[in-house]
Amino acid sequence: MQDPNADTEWNDILRKKGILPPKEAPPEEEEEEQLHQTQSVVKTYESMTLEELEENEDEFSEEDELAMEMYRQKRLAEWKANQIKNMFGELNEISGQDYVQEVNKAGTGIWVVLHLYKQGIPLCTLINQHLSQLARKFPQTKFLKSISTTCIPNYPDRNLPTVFVYHEGEMKAQFIGPLVFGGMNLTCDELEWRLSESGAVKTDLEENPRKQIQDQLLTSIRCSAPSRKDHDEDSDED
């Protein structure tokens, strides 16, 4: 008797005519096909969003529940961190009425940098430009500016520019007056370093940029200053 499952040309003709049933797949091939279908239909929890985890929770075994919960918490923490990281990103203007809400009630873990300024003061304009750059670089920190007298009545112009640094509503640092900032030579990197020392930003600068400038100036002075040997030679010629 001819095997109906044999791979012969005659059997293929009979299958096409409907005389023989379709060829049965070997058990191993059936298992592989089922596994492939399962993998294509159901994602593993590592690749799921938080919403998908909740929708497909019943499809996982009890052994997966602990790992799935740990993964859910990890994804939730990453989502919250990303929300905080991209929360700000701009230097925003506030008034005295906004002060309590924007500064004192900024939120848990939030650093706030507030610049008190006045229009027409060049150093204030420069610092606002620098803070706008730093706000984009450090979007997890809230950068604010406010015209000094609208925020603090009768605040003296001699104290401008003024920068206050807050963390969770508590003042952590203050920079008051032009001398503190080094005048119009202040660079954005120098201001970033100052703010990083207070904790407001996490800089990638390895050392104080002001120190590099000072070292360069000292080197330049040493190179341009006459040496003692040159001085002695000039004395001998006289």
Side-chain angles (χ1 to χ4, degrees), residues 137-154:
K137 184 175 181 180
F138 303 102
Q140 67 275 21
T141 298
K142 180 186 282 191
F143 286 85
L144 304 172
K145 63 179 179 178
S146 178
I147 294 176
S148 57
T149 50
T150 64
C151 193
I152 303 176
N154 302 317

Side-chain angles (χ1 to χ4, degrees), residues 90-103 112-121 123-125 127-129 131-132 142-157 159-164 166 175:
E90 295 180 353
L91 176 62
N92 293 318
E93 182 93 26
I94 66 168
S95 65
Q97 296 177 343
D98 305 320
Y99 184 88
V100 173
Q101 184 65 35
E102 295 292 335
V103 178
V112 179
V113 176
L114 172 64
H115 176 212
L116 301 185
Y117 75 102
K118 260 193 177 177
Q119 296 178 351
I121 299 179
L123 185 54
C124 288
T125 302
I127 288 178
N128 276 337
Q129 292 173 356
L131 291 179
S132 293
K142 180 186 282 191
F143 286 85
L144 304 172
K145 63 179 179 178
S146 178
I147 294 176
S148 57
T149 50
T150 64
C151 193
I152 303 176
N154 302 317
Y155 194 75
D157 288 355
N159 288 347
L160 301 179
T162 292
V163 172
F164 294 136
Y166 297 85
F175 307 95

Side-chain angles (χ1 to χ4, degrees), residues 190 193-194 197 205-213:
E190 290 171 14
W193 183 265
R194 288 286 189 88
E197 288 183 319
L205 299 173
E206 296 182 356
E207 63 177 1
N208 187 351
R210 173 66 67 177
K211 181 179 181 299
Q212 295 177 353
I213 296 174

Side-chain angles (χ1 to χ4, degrees), residues 43-49 53 60 64 67-68 71 75:
K43 295 180 180 179
T44 58
Y45 64 84
E46 287 89 349
S47 62
M48 288 185 173
T49 64
L53 283 173
F60 298 104
D64 289 329
M68 191 169 65
Y71 183 72
R75 291 294 295 273

Side-chain angles (χ1 to χ4, degrees), residues 25 51 73 120 156 162 181 217 221 238:
E51 292 79 8
Q73 294 300 325
T162 292
F181 296 99
L217 287 173
I221 292 171
D238 293 342

